[in-house]
Amino acid sequence: MQERFERLAERLAEKNQQLSSDEARTWVELLWEDFDTTRAKAGEKYQGKDVTEQIVLRWIDQYGPRLHEFLSNNPKYKRMFERKNNKEEK
């Protein structure tokens, strides 16, 4: 699982020069969790890590270059992002 996250984070960091490698990794984890949670809440059957990885990869390719802008417009996610980064620093 860690290898998937690292690979996706590297791809995101390539797409968005404004993100550090840690920020890119945080984004990947948040996107992954968001997709899995949303599908579960919708009652969808879990289709595995490969499907989730492909969706996150599509999101990275489509939205990755502008993800840093999303935080400034969405305080809820900005707080989540900051909390996650603070936990990792400890």
Side-chain angles (χ1 to χ4, degrees), residues 5-29 60 64-65 67-68 71 81 84-86 88-89:
F5 285 168
E6 287 300 318
R7 188 171 50 249
L8 292 166
E10 287 174 15
R11 175 79 165 251
L12 178 54
E14 289 172 9
K15 295 276 183 187
N16 190 326
Q17 309 296 313
Q18 305 235 2
L19 299 175
S20 69
S21 57
D22 288 339
E23 290 170 330
R25 172 65 185 247
T26 298
W27 267 114
V28 165
E29 291 176 9
I60 288 169
L67 274 178
H68 65 283
L71 288 179
F81 196 85
K84 180 154 180 37
N85 282 338
N86 287 337
E88 291 175 357
E89 290 175 3

Side-chain angles (χ1 to χ4, degrees), residues 56-85:
V56 172
L57 187 57
R58 275 192 234 152
W59 288 348
I60 288 169
D61 288 343
Q62 187 168 4
Y63 305 112
R66 296 175 42 132
L67 274 178
H68 65 283
E69 295 172 8
F70 185 80
L71 288 179
S72 62
N73 297 325
N74 296 279
K76 173 186 167 189
Y77 285 92
K78 185 174 184 177
R79 286 190 300 274
M80 288 173 49
F81 196 85
E82 289 170 348
R83 271 198 306 260
K84 180 154 180 37
N85 282 338

Side-chain angles (χ1 to χ4, degrees), residues 23-64:
E23 290 170 330
R25 172 65 185 247
T26 298
W27 267 114
V28 165
E29 291 176 9
L30 288 173
L31 292 170
W32 189 285
E33 184 179 315
D34 185 56
F35 178 73
D36 279 349
T37 302
T38 300
R39 286 194 72 129
K41 286 181 181 179
E44 297 286 330
K45 182 179 177 186
Y46 181 67
Q47 295 183 346
K49 295 174 186 172
D50 291 338
V51 170
T52 302
E53 182 175 2
Q54 289 305 308
I55 296 298
V56 172
L57 187 57
R58 275 192 234 152
W59 288 348
I60 288 169
D61 288 343
Q62 187 168 4
Y63 305 112

